[in-house]
Amino acid sequence: MPERRPVGVFGGTFDPVHVGHLRLAEEAAEALGLAAVRWIPAGQPRHRASPRVAAAHRLRMVDLAIAGNPRFCLDAAEAESGEASYTVPTLARLRAELGAAQPLVLLLGADAYAGLPGWHRWPELFALAHVAVAHRPGFAVDAAALPAALQAEHRARHVPGDDPSALAATPAGRILSFPMTPLAVSATQVRALLAAGRSARYLLPPAVIDYIDLHHLYRNHDGS
Ligand code: ATP
């Protein structure tokens, strides 16, 4: 059977989406030979204050940010569900949609990867997708520094030399890391700038800045 190019799956709160997210997805697509990257903004839990901005706004900002990139597409299912989001059910949905043979790659920053053992049903993830970890300033991609439960999975599943061709060879179950241009931007920083009335220009795509201005987002929060 011919190998299929992997499809990237990129979830986040994107509160708001910024250049760190965009470069992560773009560099992952290039470095890992992805056919596409599916962006999946997280839903808004009904009874919780966080994320700061409603799912409909976060979804629209991602839509604006990725416009014109033929490799990127938006998956609105989590944002439109009105519930808290969980990655394992989302991957199961994509697996059902794209078929058992399609390689799927969950894209994570190094901070998110280290936090994986806190995720709902996380050990089931590896039967559904590969995991590709982007380097992020301030966070090590170092097996020895990982929580013990993840360390065992990491050692068993890690692709020697981070060779991306391993991702096309099987539908799921491998772990690798990839370098990306170090960008220390975070949504927390962007929210803090906006809340203080300062400029977030060049940290976000212009269309996202315009959207934030138009809807007066983030200005009245404390930015934490
Ligand atoms: P916050 O500051 O609100 O926690 P964030 O900037 O980390 O937000 P998320 O939406 O939580 O953004 O992140 C989505 C994914 O993008 C995560 O896997 C995260 O690790 C990754 N990511 C975000 N910013 C960067 C960055 N600057 N470099 C590498 N990875 C990043």
Side-chain angles (χ1 to χ4, degrees), residues 40-152:
I40 312 185
Q44 191 82 7
R46 285 187 211 283
H47 303 296
R48 279 198 285 140
S50 113
R52 288 311 172 87
V53 155
H57 282 311
R58 292 183 289 104
L59 187 66
R60 184 72 189 118
M61 288 189 280
V62 171
D63 197 19
L64 290 167
I66 69 176
N69 188 323
R71 274 195 293 224
F72 290 172
C73 62
L74 184 63
D75 184 323
E78 286 191 5
E80 288 176 350
S81 76
E83 302 290 341
S85 301
Y86 298 106
T87 300
V88 166
T90 289
L91 289 174
R93 169 175 62 83
L94 295 179
R95 176 59 66 213
E97 181 188 323
L98 299 173
Q102 172 63 54
L104 294 176
V105 188
L106 183 67
L107 306 177
L108 296 175
D111 58 312
Y113 181 56
L116 216 56
W119 292 17
H120 184 55
R121 294 166 55 189
W122 73 276
E124 294 172 49
L125 205 142
F126 302 108
L128 293 163
H130 302 297
V131 174
V133 185
H135 295 243
R136 183 171 187 177
F139 301 94
V141 189
D142 173 10
L146 295 172
L150 183 55
Q151 230 177 81

Side-chain angles (χ1 to χ4, degrees), residues 3-26:
E3 285 191 347
R4 297 204 207 178
R5 288 169 69 203
V7 169
V9 178
F10 189 32
T13 44
F14 305 123
D15 191 21
V17 60
H18 55 68
V19 295
H21 300 129
L22 288 157
R23 284 307 300 180
L24 185 155
E26 182 72 351

